[in-house]
Amino acid sequence: MKKILVTGAFGLVGSDLVVELGRKYGHDNVVLLAHETKRQVDFPLEKGDVRDKSTLAKIIKKYNVGQIYHLAGLLSVGGEKNPPLAWDININGLRNVLDLAVNHKCRLFWPSSIAVFGPTTPRDKTPQHTVLEPTTMYGVTKLAGELLCQYYFLKYGLDVRSLRYPGLIAYKAPPGDGTTEYSVHIFYGALKNKSYSCFLKKGTVLPMMFITDAVTGTIGLMEADPGKISVRTSYNFSAINFAPEELVLEIKKHMPEFKCSYKPDHRQKIADSWPKSIDDAVARKDWGWRHEYNLPRMTTVMLEKLKEKLSRMKSG
Ligand code: AKB
C-alpha cells in the first residue's frame, strides 16, 4: 500500500487524525511530519518544515506516499501576530505540497476554515457559494489557498479535497493560537482551576465541531468517490453552533462550582467577522457528511477524556 503523509501531525487535528488513520490503514502506513522528533510514537516520524520543498520531496519518495493530509499552518490569532509568517507557512507551504502532490500523483487533503468568510458574508446559515472578503491574514491565506487548490485541480487534474473547518474541540493536543480555541481552553480552566476568563463576550455564537466528527468527515471526504466531489475549493462543514455562555451552562451541569468571567479582547473582532452558522448541505448531499456530536455529548466526552489526560500528566 502507498503510504499516507500527515504534516502538522502533532497539532489539534493531526493528533486525533493519525490515530484513526493508523487504526484503519496500519501504523506503518502513516508517516508523520513534525518539527520535533523526540516524541515516542508508534508511527514513522520525520522532521521537516513544509516550506522546505526538497526535504518534503525526499520524504514523499522515501515512503512512496500516495495520500497527503497537509495540516501544518498558522491559525487566526497567530497569523495576526506575524502576518508575513502566516503567508509564508500557509501559502508557500501549501504550494510546495500542491506541486509535489502533482509530481507524485498523490491525493491531497488541505483544511480551509470558516475564516474565509468576513463581515460582508451573510452570517446565518452561510451558503457554500457566497461573499468571501476575510479581514484576517489567516482568512486571506485560506481563501487564496482554496483558489490555489481549485486551480491545481483544473490545470493539473490534482485530486485535492478540502473542508472549511469550524472551531474544533479536542483534548489530545493543546489548543493552537486561534479564536474559537476559547472552547478548548475553557475545559482546561474548568478542570485545573474551576474557573475561566473568556476572551470572547457572551452572545458570540460560532460554528463548532467535536474532533471525532471532524476526523470522520475528513477521512470520509478523502475516501469519497472522485465523481462525488463537486467542490474543489473547499466544502462548508458544520455540526453545532453555540455562544460561550451556552458552553458554560453545559459544563456547569457536570461541575456546578465552575465559574466563567468575560473579558473580551482583540480576538472579539475576529470572532465578530465570522458566521454564526454554516449551511453544509452540499457536503451532506455530495459525499454523505453527517455529524454525531451535539453540545451535551461533546461536553461530557471532553470533561471525561481531558480529566484522564490531566491526571496521567500529573502522575507521570
Ligand atoms: C481559529 O480560530 O483561528 C481556527 C479556525 C476557526 O480556523 N480555530
Side-chain angles (χ1 to χ4, degrees):
M1 177 191 159
K2 285 199 159 195
K3 308 273 190 247
I4 301 169
L5 176 66
V6 181
T7 76
F10 295 146
L12 196 80
V13 178
S15 300
D16 276 82
L17 182 77
V18 298
V19 174
E20 188 53 19
L21 289 173
R23 197 187 64 73
K24 281 191 107 150
Y25 301 110
H27 282 221
D28 289 349
N29 291 320
V30 184
V31 181
L32 278 46
L33 182 86
H35 279 129
E36 47 131 340
T37 43
K38 284 190 192 119
R39 279 199 215 188
Q40 291 297 321
V41 287
D42 52 356
F43 292 92
L45 174 59
E46 293 282 343
K47 190 180 170 116
D49 188 305
V50 293
R51 292 167 296 173
D52 174 0
K53 198 172 179 179
S54 67
T55 300
L56 275 182
K58 278 184 203 140
I59 294 169
I60 290 172
K61 260 195 223 144
K62 176 175 164 188
Y63 290 96
N64 189 22
V65 168
Q67 272 191 38
I68 305 172
Y69 288 82
H70 172 42
L71 306 176
L74 250 59
L75 296 178
S76 57
V77 179
E80 290 313 290
K81 286 179 189 156
N82 192 341
L85 185 66
W87 182 268
D88 197 20
I89 295 176
N90 292 9
I91 291 297
N92 295 332
L94 173 62
R95 280 198 48 213
N96 286 341
V97 176
L98 284 164
D99 286 340
L100 292 167
V102 171
N103 292 346
H104 296 270
K105 300 191 172 37
C106 299
R107 182 174 290 184
L108 171 62
F109 174 81
W110 172 77
S112 184
S113 159
I114 54 164
V116 292
F117 304 119
T120 51
T121 305
R123 297 191 68 201
D124 293 302
K125 291 202 173 17
T126 303
Q128 175 67 49
H129 300 286
T130 185
V131 182
L132 299 172
E133 293 182 329
T135 47
T136 61
M137 179 50 103
Y138 174 60
V140 169
T141 65
K142 288 296 181 190
L143 177 54
E146 285 191 7
L147 295 173
L148 267 177
C149 287
Q150 179 177 249
Y151 181 80
Y152 273 69
F153 168 73
L154 295 171
K155 177 96 177 164
Y156 306 111
L158 178 68
D159 190 356
V160 52
R161 302 164 183 216
S162 175
L163 296 169
R164 290 173 176 154
Y165 281 157
L168 300 181
I169 301 156
Y171 55 87
K172 285 203 179 81
D177 207 0
T179 306
T180 59
E181 272 63 14
Y182 88 82
S183 61
V184 183
H185 288 290
I186 197 168
F187 286 99
Y188 285 85
L191 290 170
K192 284 182 169 172
N193 312 315
K194 298 187 170 56
S195 68
Y196 178 65
S197 172
C198 185
F199 56 76
L200 298 184
K201 65 182 183 203
K202 282 186 184 179
T204 311
V205 177
L206 287 166
M208 301 279 187
M209 185 181 291
F210 187 51
I211 191 69
T212 306
D213 278 337
V215 165
T216 307
T218 301
I219 297 176
L221 173 65
M222 279 297 266
E223 288 181 343
D225 188 287
K228 293 196 165 153
I229 312 291
S230 71
V231 175
R232 294 291 181 164
T233 49
S234 190
Y235 277 101
N236 278 7
F237 185 54
S238 164
I240 45 181
N241 315 300
F242 58 80
E245 69 276 18
E246 292 172 271
L247 179 55
V248 170
L249 274 180
E250 220 37 67
I251 295 174
K252 273 175 174 284
K253 286 185 191 162
H254 301 262
M255 304 178 59
E257 68 281 23
F258 174 58
K259 291 211 162 25
C260 184
S261 57
Y262 298 87
K263 291 198 184 62
D265 64 15
H266 57 284
R267 290 168 278 197
Q268 183 67 46
K269 198 170 157 208
I270 299 178
D272 287 343
S273 75
W274 291 347
K276 293 174 197 274
S277 63
I278 302 287
D279 179 353
D280 62 357
V282 183
R284 289 177 190 262
K285 181 176 147 284
D286 277 7
W287 47 277
W289 157 241
R290 62 187 176 86
H291 70 279
E292 301 270 345
Y293 284 79
N294 59 14
L295 179 57
R297 187 170 174 206
M298 178 278 287
T299 307
T300 306
V301 179
M302 271 302 282
L303 285 171
E304 189 189 303
K305 296 289 184 187
L306 192 58
K307 198 177 190 175
E308 281 169 21
K309 177 179 137 177
L310 293 176
S311 68
R312 269 200 309 276
M313 282 166 74
K314 226 177 179 178
S315 62

